[in-house]
Structure formats: structure tokens, C-alpha cells
Amino acid sequence: MKIFFIFVFIIILYQCIHLTRSAELKEKSVKLSYLELVKERRSINEKKLAPFNDIVGMASSNVIAYSNGNDTYYSNEDNYLYGIYMGLKWQCVEYARRWTFLRKSSTFESIPGANDMWNQLKYVERIIDAEKFPLKKHSNGCPNRPINESYLIYPIQKDMPYGHVAVIVDVLPNSIRIAEQNFNFNYWSYNYSREIPVTFKNDLYFIQDQYEVYGWIEIDDNQQLMPFDPLTVDKIQMKLNENLDLNSSA
Ligand SMILES: *[C@@H]1O[C@H](CO)[C@@H](O)[C@H](O)[C@H]1NC(C)=O
Ligand SMILES: *[C@@H]1O[C@H](CO)[C@@H](O)[C@H](O)[C@H]1NC(C)=O
Ligand SMILES: *[C@@H]1O[C@H](CO)[C@@H](O)[C@H](O)[C@H]1NC(C)=O
């Protein structure tokens, strides 16, 4: 009799354990399939190519990135903002210059290709007073950490006949986040286009992109450059008009 009860007890115990385990497994598999779904959605989103002119993302609050369609397309269309030249729609240099205009109220001179920014660009110029602010180069593999809000420059290499430029929009402990045009043609999942690992080896910082990187160019402005304020344009315009009125009445 005693043995019979022990036997029944063991069976009940076994079933209890079995039930909770299968419930746990079920919960786990529901969780897993949800994660897979999210992952799948994201990868579909990442794989979906944006046609030329489509907005692919936005970084630094208000700097929109547009799709160039594919990396062989050359639109031959200029882009201007408030009458100021930004570059060719929708090349990487256009993004870097428009970012500089919207975030730093400045611009930089015309250059043949993105790779030339590394050797040719010496300053950015503030729109309102033409004051020049120096650019400082930091080679990939240097003793200081990559700097936020600087230009990331790539030399000419396979698949990059003009090199490439991106803007560093965030610096994390072991990576940087960048914004750019004409590199990928998918819609961004976040407010940056790519996150690239940064390693620290023999006291040097290396941006570990799949492509060779020259380094990053810092805008050395002592935090004097402010985001572009559309009201400034009105002020300049008003001043011009006042002068015209004075001249014509004199
Ligand atoms: C991106 O969004 C996060 C969270 O909203 C914010 O903390 C970060 O500053 C943003 N970065 C850029 C470059 O816009
Ligand atoms: C690249 O994009 C342009 C503009 O959308 C399109 O006309 C062209 O056919 C595309 N080329 C390739 C190789 O996909
Ligand atoms: C980088 O600069 C952006 C503004 O352009 C700011 O939102 C972000 O917090 C900065 N990141 C760091 C690490 O300072």
C-alpha cells in the first residue's frame, strides 16, 4: 500500500515538472519567434532599396539623407539651400556640406572627390561673416579617440572610385555612429546609417571599417559654430534691403 502511494506521488511529481518545463519551453519559443520576426522585419527593411530622391534617414536632429538610387548613378543635379551650393544630388560630399551648413552654419570649398577632402580642405567658412575655422586631421590609428561631429574620410579603393566621406554623429565606448549618402541605399533603422567598431591597440585608436579609412577631420572651432538659424537669412536680407533703400534715397 505504502509503495503504491509513493508510486502515485512520483508520477504526479513527474507530471508537474514536465508541465512547467513544457510551459517554459513554449514561452521561450514564443519569445524566440517574436525576436526572429523583429529581426526578419528589420533585415527586410534594411535590404529594401530606396529609389533616387527618397529620404533614407535623418541624423543630428535635422540633416536628412537622400538615396542616390545606386552607387553608379550620377544625377548631374545641383542642390542649393537658401541660395547656397550644397553639392550634387545625392552624393556623399553633398551630405557632408549640407551637414556643415545646417549644424555649423558654415560651408567648405569645392573639391574634385571625397578623398581629396583629406589633403585639400584646410578650413570651413562661416556663412554670415566668412570667418574661417581650421580643420585638423587625425589619421586612423592615432592616440586620441575619434571625435564627434568630424568628417570620416576614405581613400580611393576598390568600389570607391572617388573615396568616401561620412560624418561622425556619435562616439560610444567601442564604436562610432556615422551619417552619410551614397554608400548604402536602404532605409536607416535608426538616426544614423552605420555603427562601426573602434579598437584600442598599443595605445592607438583604430576605426575598423570593412574599407580602408584615412582618418577623421575635426572642425577646430572651439565650439563657436552654431546650428544654422533660418532667421539669420532674413536678417542678412533685411540689411541688404535697408542699404538699398538708403542708397536710392540719397
Ligand atoms: C539619436 O537619437 C538618440 C535617442 O533619441 C539621441 O540620444 C541621439 O543624440 C541621436 N543622435 C543623433 C546623431 O541625432
Ligand atoms: C541606378 O539608379 C538610377 C536612378 O534611379 C537608374 O536610372 C539606373 O537604372 C540604376 N542603375 C542600376 C545599375 O541599377
Ligand atoms: C555628438 O553630437 C551630437 C550632436 O551633433 C549629440 O547629439 C551627441 O550627443 C554627441 N555625442 C557625444 C558622445 O558627445
Side-chain angles (χ1 to χ4, degrees):
M1 196 65 184
K2 217 175 177 184
I3 284 176
F4 176 74
F5 274 121
I6 287 172
F7 184 68
V8 166
F9 179 74
I10 285 173
I11 285 178
I12 289 172
L13 194 73
Y14 173 78
Q15 283 195 337
C16 276
I17 289 170
H18 187 74
L19 274 178
T20 47
R21 267 204 59 205
S22 78
E24 262 171 27
L25 276 176
K26 208 167 163 194
E27 197 181 306
K28 231 180 208 166
S29 83
V30 164
K31 221 177 193 172
L32 225 133
S33 63
Y34 172 72
L35 282 178
E36 267 164 13
L37 195 78
V38 167
K39 221 164 121 189
E40 199 178 279
R41 278 250 178 82
R42 187 174 290 162
S43 78
I44 286 170
N45 196 37
E46 276 168 5
K47 270 186 219 136
K48 201 172 145 208
L49 296 189
F52 180 76
N53 261 340
D54 250 27
I55 292 175
V56 291
M58 185 154 76
S60 310
S61 317
N62 63 346
V63 191
I64 291 171
Y66 298 92
S67 174
N68 192 54
N70 52 61
D71 56 6
T72 50
Y73 188 58
Y74 185 83
S75 72
N76 217 3
E77 288 174 55
D78 291 328
N79 187 34
Y80 287 86
L81 270 190
Y82 301 97
I84 295 155
Y85 183 61
M86 297 292 128
L88 280 171
K89 294 179 182 177
W90 298 110
Q91 302 285 320
C92 58
V93 174
E94 193 278 338
Y95 189 83
R97 198 183 276 107
R98 188 153 42 83
W99 187 94
T100 309
F101 175 70
L102 291 171
R103 303 311 305 167
K104 303 284 164 197
S105 309
S106 301
T107 187
F108 56 78
E109 64 194 20
S110 188
I111 30 126
N115 68 299
D116 296 305
M117 288 178 74
W118 188 252
N119 285 317
Q120 282 187 26
L121 275 197
K122 303 292 177 219
Y123 57 86
V124 297
E125 191 174 302
R126 187 157 56 191
I127 300 286
I128 193 162
D129 57 1
E131 182 167 346
K132 295 179 166 79
F133 294 85
L135 294 174
K136 221 164 123 184
K137 290 199 282 189
H138 303 270
S139 294
N140 201 19
C142 77
N144 64 286
R145 191 183 284 282
I147 297 162
N148 198 18
E149 305 199 300
S150 49
Y151 307 114
L152 182 64
I153 312 288
Y154 296 73
I156 291 173
Q157 55 198 294
K158 190 175 177 294
D159 303 330
M160 284 189 178
Y162 303 98
H164 183 58
V165 55
V167 182
I168 300 176
V169 293
D170 224 340
V171 179
L172 296 129
N174 298 305
S175 64
I176 54 167
R177 286 173 177 168
I178 61 169
E180 65 200 330
Q181 272 174 185
N182 203 14
F183 183 89
N184 286 330
F185 306 93
N186 53 282
Y187 300 95
W188 301 358
S189 302
Y190 309 97
N191 54 0
Y192 55 89
S193 64
R194 289 185 287 150
E195 182 165 333
I196 307 174
V198 174
T199 56
F200 187 60
K201 241 185 349 218
N202 305 326
D203 294 332
L204 301 174
Y205 288 93
F206 291 91
I207 293 174
Q208 302 278 8
D209 200 357
Q210 70 212 86
Y211 288 96
E212 188 195 338
V213 168
Y214 270 141
W216 54 98
I217 301 181
E218 173 191 4
I219 304 172
D220 194 7
D221 68 338
N222 284 317
Q223 275 149 27
Q224 286 180 71
L225 291 174
M226 293 294 137
F228 173 73
D229 175 2
L231 292 177
T232 322
V233 172
D234 293 345
K235 269 188 218 146
I236 297 172
Q237 212 63 47
M238 259 158 57
K239 226 177 195 169
L240 282 173
N241 289 342
E242 269 168 30
N243 288 345
L244 281 178
D245 286 348
L246 284 177
N247 288 344
S248 58
S249 60

